[in-house]
Amino acid sequence: MRTNTMRKYLIAGNWKMNQNMAQTSAYFAELGQHLSAVPSGVKVLLCTPYTSLSVAVEGAKSVTGLSIGAQNVHEKDTGAYTGEISAAMLKELGIGYAIIGHSERRQYYNESDESVNAKTIKSLETGLTPVVCVGELLEERKAGKQFDVVKAQLHGALANIKADDVSKIVIAYEPVWAIGTGETATPEQAQDIHAFIRSELKAAYGEKIATEVYILYGGSMNPKNAAELLSCADVDGGLIGGASLKPADFYSIIKDAETLTKS
Ligand code: PEP
């Protein structure tokens, strides 16, 4: 149970490469039937493909308090980086967040802790909230290396960032073996790593900063398991892939978070 925390819940959707513009409009129309305003005690974010961002920013106007994010961002301001999008370009669109270092980007596009760090620094400079993903592979967990892997990714991502800025970063713990597999970390497994991340933040930046940072869980979170995971002391929300694609399922997780804020 989360106690004595000033943090709200952050329920974030990651659509990955799903939903074209027409589907995005339809999604917001349906979500708006469930939800006219984000409940107090909860923050809600949807990270859409670049091509849907404008439609999503427009659609989000019908749900008061709903934020829109991107799934990646480039670390440079401008230049010869074909196919890339800068943080300033996202800001201009009305985007507030960017996912950085998702395991799919680490796996398929060779993103390293160094590039995650550079993207995180550029996002902070530009006023975007970075959602920095960390998490171990199945073989790393089997070898008992999950804490070492997460520690290295965490400190790699946060290198050379001032404590005050660290408090603005969202960390998402996403065990790679649980992403899109239907296999979820148990609440105990999630809590163990979340508490570890918070203790690492406390050791590096002090108690106040460690208390302010949101740590999300991601990996097959869905309406059936969300309440249990969100009840863990150091789980401040979810980064949700598959279940965020259905407005009713996403709404159900938002409701779970709202209910927990009242318990
Ligand atoms: C994700 O894409 O970050 C994710 C956690 O996906 P899923 O919820 O589908 O496992």
Side-chain angles (χ1 to χ4, degrees):
M1 181 62 70
R2 288 160 95 237
T3 50
N4 297 328
T5 177
M6 296 298 287
R7 299 181 303 276
K8 297 182 171 196
Y9 278 109
L10 172 57
I11 304 300
N14 172 20
W15 285 2
K16 313 193 189 199
M17 197 171 70
N18 294 297
Q19 314 265 48
N20 62 22
M21 290 197 289
Q23 290 165 327
T24 301
S25 283
Y27 183 99
F28 280 94
E30 193 180 332
L31 187 66
Q33 286 171 9
H34 296 287
L35 197 65
S36 59
V38 169
S40 69
V42 183
K43 297 201 248 185
V44 180
L45 165 68
L46 277 166
C47 298
T48 80
Y50 286 134
T51 48
S52 285
L53 286 173
S54 293
V55 177
V57 166
E58 204 45 45
K61 289 181 182 158
S62 58
V63 184
T64 308
L66 177 58
S67 299
I68 301 300
Q71 300 169 17
N72 183 29
V73 61
H74 196 261
E75 65 264 37
K76 294 281 180 8
D77 289 320
T78 52
Y81 302 103
T82 302
E84 293 293 335
I85 305 283
S86 74
M89 290 168 178
L90 295 172
K91 267 306 260 191
E92 187 186 22
L93 274 178
I95 302 308
Y97 292 75
I99 297 174
I100 297 177
H102 191 281
S103 61
E104 287 152 13
R105 296 211 57 89
R106 292 179 191 257
Q107 181 182 355
Y108 302 129
Y109 305 101
N110 296 323
E111 290 206 1
S112 62
D113 291 339
E114 290 70 29
S115 69
V116 170
N117 177 238
K119 289 173 181 209
T120 302
I121 290 172
K122 182 53 68 185
S123 297
L124 288 165
E125 268 174 29
T126 314
L128 285 182
T129 300
V131 180
V132 174
C133 301
V134 297
E136 79 284 358
L137 304 170
L138 181 59
E139 51 271 32
E140 292 167 336
R141 178 161 281 264
K142 282 187 175 158
K145 291 188 179 148
Q146 61 272 29
F147 293 100
D148 293 341
V149 170
V150 167
K151 181 174 176 170
Q153 290 177 341
L154 179 72
H155 293 298
L158 303 185
N160 302 315
I161 298 179
K162 290 193 303 302
D164 279 353
D165 279 339
V166 170
S167 69
K168 298 175 194 153
I169 298 172
V170 175
I171 306 290
Y173 169 57
E174 299 208 304
V176 180
W177 46 271
I179 298 180
T181 58
E183 189 173 341
T184 316
T186 63
E188 293 72 28
Q189 287 172 324
Q191 172 56 26
D192 278 356
I193 301 275
H194 282 233
F196 172 72
I197 292 172
R198 210 175 297 286
S199 72
E200 286 294 310
L201 293 172
K202 185 175 167 188
Y205 307 101
E207 174 131 37
K208 180 173 177 291
I209 304 291
T211 309
E212 286 169 355
V213 172
Y214 281 72
I215 308 176
L216 312 184
Y217 168 79
S220 299
M221 188 183 272
N222 61 44
K224 291 203 177 90
N225 59 30
E228 210 182 7
L229 287 158
L230 293 173
S231 303
C232 297
D234 288 291
V235 175
D236 304 316
L239 182 55
I240 301 145
S244 73
L245 290 168
K246 293 189 191 136
D249 286 357
F250 193 53
Y251 171 69
S252 162
I253 298 173
I254 296 167
K255 281 302 278 180
D256 285 339
E258 183 189 14
T259 304
L260 284 164
T261 63
K262 294 177 179 157
S263 63

